[in-house]
Amino acid sequence: MERADAERYRLALFGRMVMGVAHEVDNHLSVVLGFSELIQLAAGKEQKVRDGAGKILSAGEKIGAIVHQFSRHVRPHEPSPEPFVPGELIPEIFLFSRYDLGRNNVTLLPLPEIPPGILHADRRDFGLALLALLFNAAEAMSETGGELSMRVSIGADGWEFTVGDRGPGIPAGFEEKVFEEGFTTRTEPVNTGMGLPVARHLAGQAGGTVRIASRAGGGCEATIRVPMKTRV
């Protein structure tokens, strides 16, 4: 896979999430506007003014963080490995993707506790790999709905990031076929068959692997495994 293929996928995926980012920004802007009106009405009551101003400040900071995070992830770049904390990255990508991930009766489950630790990889590329797995899982449930989840663990062998869905699962013998560029069993225009190949490519650049398998009770689990690296 060429780097340009991964960057085209990045732009296409983040383009889909624009509505989600707009939704998040609108939620916080409504707070800004609402409490601005309250300050105007209660200008003579000092405590309410302080409280309202604090809420406006908090909402404004959240808006700034969402826009900054989204802009940083969408920007094409050359790979640049660095130490980062997955426990900070994953809530970040959940924030601006949860609106789109939650469509079609798909329920994005709350993120469980992420173990502390450092991963050495390109932070933005690794975030894109995780997003690719999340969106692939959500698309698998677009007809039936279901629960979408992620869990993270760390052990002597390294990190594991597992995305689980309750879709139809993978037909026997297709466990590697799904990683071929352009391969997809779905017909919707948004299904380009690039999500899993991009995830595997980017995980491989971090020294990791991606495996996908049907899960007991229905659905699939896709897991990125990345070995431990020396802290820098």
Side-chain angles (χ1 to χ4, degrees), residues 9-111:
Y9 178 79
R10 181 195 306 277
L11 292 174
L13 185 60
F14 276 84
R16 288 178 56 185
M17 290 189 287
V18 167
M19 283 297 297
V21 173
H23 178 77
E24 293 289 345
V25 170
D26 186 60
N27 283 343
H28 295 304
L29 275 178
S30 66
V31 175
V32 172
L33 296 175
F35 279 94
S36 293
E37 292 180 359
L38 178 61
I39 287 177
Q40 290 176 338
L41 294 173
K45 300 178 180 180
E46 186 177 345
Q47 186 59 47
K48 286 188 177 180
V49 171
R50 285 202 303 266
D51 291 345
K55 291 183 182 294
I56 289 174
L57 178 60
S58 176
E61 289 173 343
K62 289 177 181 177
I63 291 170
I66 291 169
V67 173
H68 175 73
Q69 291 163 3
F70 189 86
S71 298
R72 180 173 56 184
H73 279 279
V74 74
R75 189 178 299 115
H77 66 286
E78 290 298 321
S80 179
E82 61 180 329
F84 67 90
V85 179
E88 296 175 354
L89 170 67
I90 296 174
E92 192 174 286
I93 64 173
F94 263 47
L95 176 64
F96 51 69
S97 65
R98 63 187 177 193
Y99 178 85
D100 284 85
L101 290 172
R103 291 180 177 180
N104 301 315
N105 295 316
V106 173
T107 301
L108 179 60
L109 297 178
L111 186 65

Side-chain angles (χ1 to χ4, degrees), residues 114-184:
I114 302 174
I118 291 177
L119 179 63
H120 193 276
D122 184 289
R123 189 180 190 276
R124 288 177 285 175
D125 281 357
F126 198 79
L128 180 60
L130 294 177
L131 282 168
L133 296 190
L134 286 166
F135 274 90
N136 183 75
E139 289 163 3
M141 297 185 288
S142 62
E143 294 181 1
T144 60
E147 294 181 341
L148 172 62
S149 64
M150 178 185 287
R151 68 177 186 272
V152 183
S153 62
I154 186 172
D157 295 332
W159 289 88
E160 285 195 1
F161 304 82
T162 299
V163 173
D165 67 63
R166 289 297 179 184
I170 298 178
F174 278 71
E175 293 83 359
E176 285 299 314
K177 185 77 173 175
V178 295
F179 289 102
E180 294 181 6
E181 294 179 35
F183 176 80
T184 178

Side-chain angles (χ1 to χ4, degrees), residues 215-227:
R215 62 193 297 192
C220 285
E221 283 192 342
T223 301
I224 296 178
R225 294 185 175 92
V226 184

